[in-house]
Amino acid sequence: MPSDMDKLKEFLRVNKSIKYIRIQWIDYSGVLRARFVPIARCLRIANGSETIRLAQNSIIIPISTAPRIFSLSDYHETWLLRPDWSSLRVCGFQTGHAAAMSFVDQKDAETRLDKCPRMLLVQALERLDKERGVKVLVGFEIEFVLLDGNGSNDVIKPLDRLNGYSRTAGLRAESLALVEEIIDALEQSSISIHHFHAEVQDQLEIALTPEPALQAVDSLVLAQETIRAICVRRNLKATMTPKPTLPGPSNSLHLHLSLVDIDVERVSADHFIAGVLDHVGSLCAFGMANYDGCARSIGDAAGAWVGFGTDNRDLPVRKICDWHWEFSMMNGTANPYLFAAAVLLAALDGLAKKTELVWKDCKLFPHLMNEEMRVEYGINNSMPVTFKEALDCLKEDAVVNAWIAKDLLEWYISVKEKEVEVFKKMTDEQRRLRFLEYF
């Protein structure tokens, strides 16, 4: 296998204009963080003669209390960044810049990478390959709203205004030129798109082409930053926060997952998806990972009831075909490595236990079904309607607690409980403005 130095040197040989590499990671609050590092120092990091040391707020800083950190530890910890040089991509939105995602290493921990969400995803993928012999492809649908850049944080109102699902209105003039500029930059970063369109009024969606799971999450992170950076230059704020405006549309971030290289003797689609459905409440704590996230537990969003259906967008899991599903219990405040890992670990649990798929493929609108009909389809449990409820599901889920390293889960829950404690004292508008600072 090529060494770190070999990977970096080959990248620089092909991309001679690169001057800075953004060494990036995602914290427990779903926030992208980065160190901008000159090439000379990157080479020293790659050969092992230097490391990047982080402050304690590198991963455990709640949005609600930032810049004040919240730590369970009584002492100052040492955190290190371990760049994955194979994740290097050119930043198509910024000449001379590239980006590499990193693992977060807690130097003094007993098991040093146990608190790293990206490592958890790597481990889940390795288990699926080793235990079941399957590969995972992932794609994301990124929803965002454009706000003006004059400080009012209002939705932009151009003459050609975005005006409804898949209409061409809103994509005839300035907004179309903006999206085309974003797509051009994504292509320079080797990120392909599946399509783009108007989602609902005042909202755009860009869907990314499926890739192997780890690369797909890396692409998502860079794509989100590309969208934000290009819009800022046009004096616009592209926000992926769930509630950009209080009366307007809610943003989501849907994960599409499909399995390839399937041996049906080792993998059952029913057991796979039953494992996920069996733990949807806990998964919401990772996917709809903010105080207002569970406001999407309604029809035509994340769904009000736990269940699945072929092309049914009113449930948290939409079946596309036997080996392809869409998960809607996710938004732009999630740590995508952590959510993707949790989904796969839930599925692995279903495969190991041969969990029965008690849910029937539902093609009906759940809100039009009476209790008797829901029982017939196995739709007995409602989705969490508050983030605290999702966290309670996570804390009480003994199976999830067995999948995920104790330290990671303990720290994650503590950060999120602090969010609930602080955010519940804020008004809706105060929370909206705080999330706009980050997402």
Side-chain angles (χ1 to χ4, degrees):
M1 296 290 290
S3 67
D4 286 347
M5 181 62 84
D6 290 339
K7 294 172 188 174
L8 178 54
K9 282 186 173 180
E10 176 59 20
F11 178 83
L12 296 174
R13 184 190 67 78
V14 175
N15 301 282
K16 293 182 172 59
S17 64
I18 298 301
K19 296 179 180 178
Y20 302 99
I21 296 179
R22 301 168 183 222
I23 310 298
Q24 303 187 146
W25 71 102
I26 305 282
D27 69 14
Y28 286 173
S29 294
V31 176
L32 174 65
R33 300 185 183 274
R35 293 289 181 89
F36 293 65
V37 184
I39 292 303
R41 188 180 179 212
C42 287
L43 290 166
R44 294 195 296 273
I45 292 168
N47 73 17
S49 62
E50 280 197 27
T51 57
I52 297 179
R53 300 166 75 92
L54 300 174
Q56 266 186 303
N57 62 2
S58 59
I59 199 164
I60 54 173
I61 181 167
I63 291 171
S64 58
T65 65
R68 184 163 50 89
I69 70 167
F70 175 69
S71 175
L72 290 180
S73 176
D74 294 329
Y75 59 90
H76 285 281
E77 301 165 326
T78 299
W79 296 76
L80 306 174
L81 280 185
R82 304 292 185 192
D84 179 355
W85 298 110
S86 63
S87 71
L88 271 166
R89 308 272 189 103
V90 169
C91 292
F93 60 87
Q94 184 65 55
T95 302
H97 285 237
M101 295 308 299
S102 300
F103 298 102
V104 180
D105 174 6
Q106 189 187 2
K107 183 180 178 182
D108 301 316
E110 188 174 328
T111 308
R112 293 178 55 164
L113 292 167
D114 269 3
K115 288 184 184 175
C116 178
R118 195 169 190 271
M119 180 55 72
L120 186 69
L121 177 56
V122 169
Q123 292 167 343
L125 291 167
E126 288 175 346
R127 278 190 56 194
L128 264 172
D129 189 12
K130 181 178 179 181
E131 296 175 17
R132 303 292 166 173
V134 297
K135 307 292 185 187
V136 181
L137 294 179
V138 165
F140 291 95
E141 296 176 357
I142 306 169
E143 295 176 355
F144 60 100
V145 169
L146 299 175
L147 306 181
D148 63 44
N150 62 15
S152 69
N153 289 310
D154 293 327
V155 171
I156 62 169
K157 298 177 181 179
L159 179 63
D160 185 26
R161 188 172 180 183
L162 292 159
N163 197 24
Y165 182 76
S166 288
R167 289 193 61 191
T168 56
L171 288 170
R172 296 174 179 139
E174 298 98 327
S175 295
L176 178 58
L178 170 66
V179 174
E180 288 179 336
E181 184 179 350
I182 291 168
I183 302 308
D184 288 344
L186 294 178
E187 288 178 349
Q188 291 179 52
S189 299
S190 302
I191 299 173
S192 299
I193 73 152
H194 198 57
H195 63 241
F196 66 87
H197 69 114
E199 180 65 11
V200 294
Q201 183 168 328
D202 296 323
Q203 186 182 63
L204 286 162
E205 177 183 288
I206 296 177
L208 305 183
T209 300
E211 296 181 87
L214 185 63
Q215 293 94 308
V217 182
D218 292 346
S219 291
L220 167 68
V221 173
L222 188 51
Q224 289 174 314
E225 185 63 12
T226 300
I227 293 168
R228 294 181 183 117
I230 288 175
C231 288
V232 163
R233 291 174 196 158
R234 290 173 173 252
N235 199 34
L236 299 171
K237 184 175 184 66
T239 180
M240 295 150 211
T241 184
K243 291 295 292 179
T245 63
L246 297 181
S250 63
N251 285 325
S252 184
L253 177 64
H254 292 183
L255 183 154
H256 281 256
L257 185 152
S258 56
L259 303 183
V260 293
D261 298 337
I262 303 151
D263 179 352
V264 294
E265 297 296 320
R266 301 173 68 187
V267 181
S268 158
D270 284 357
H271 295 154
F272 186 97
I273 204 61
V276 175
L277 290 167
D278 212 24
H279 298 282
V280 161
S282 300
L283 294 175
C284 287
F286 295 119
M288 299 193 293
N290 72 91
Y291 187 86
D292 295 311
C294 290
R296 296 192 67 258
S297 293
I298 56 175
D300 201 28
W305 297 89
V306 176
F308 83 101
T310 298
D311 276 331
N312 193 334
R313 290 172 169 83
D314 285 87
L315 290 166
V317 178
R318 176 165 74 105
K319 180 180 177 181
I320 314 297
C321 64
D322 282 346
W323 302 104
H324 178 184
W325 304 274
E326 177 188 30
F327 302 101
S328 58
M329 58 281 195
M330 183 187 187
N331 63 45
T333 67
N335 182 308
Y337 298 98
L338 188 50
F339 179 70
V343 168
L344 293 176
L345 290 168
L348 273 165
D349 184 69
L351 290 170
K353 294 177 178 174
K354 298 184 177 179
T355 303
E356 182 183 357
L357 187 62
V358 296
W359 300 266
K360 291 183 181 178
D361 187 345
C362 179
K363 299 182 182 180
L364 304 172
F365 293 105
H367 66 278
L368 298 180
M369 299 167 68
N370 59 32
E371 185 176 356
E372 183 180 349
M373 294 171 68
R374 286 198 301 270
V375 169
E376 179 186 347
Y377 278 86
I379 300 176
N380 302 312
N381 297 316
S382 59
M383 291 279 282
V385 294
T386 67
F387 187 53
K388 183 181 183 303
E389 188 180 335
L391 280 176
D392 288 342
C393 289
L394 177 58
K395 288 188 289 186
E396 294 165 9
D397 194 329
V399 176
V400 175
N401 280 260
W403 306 333
I404 298 175
K406 178 183 175 182
D407 283 349
L408 190 159
L409 201 58
E410 185 178 64
W411 281 89
Y412 180 81
I413 290 173
S414 69
V415 167
K416 295 301 180 178
E417 285 184 326
K418 177 59 69 172
E419 299 279 54
V420 171
E421 175 192 335
V422 177
F423 275 133
K424 72 180 180 182
K425 300 173 185 176
M426 294 185 182
T427 66
D428 291 348
E429 178 65 4
Q430 286 173 330
R431 288 197 304 274
R432 179 183 85 93
L433 294 176
R434 177 59 63 92
F435 278 104
L436 285 178
E437 294 178 31
Y438 291 88
F439 303 103

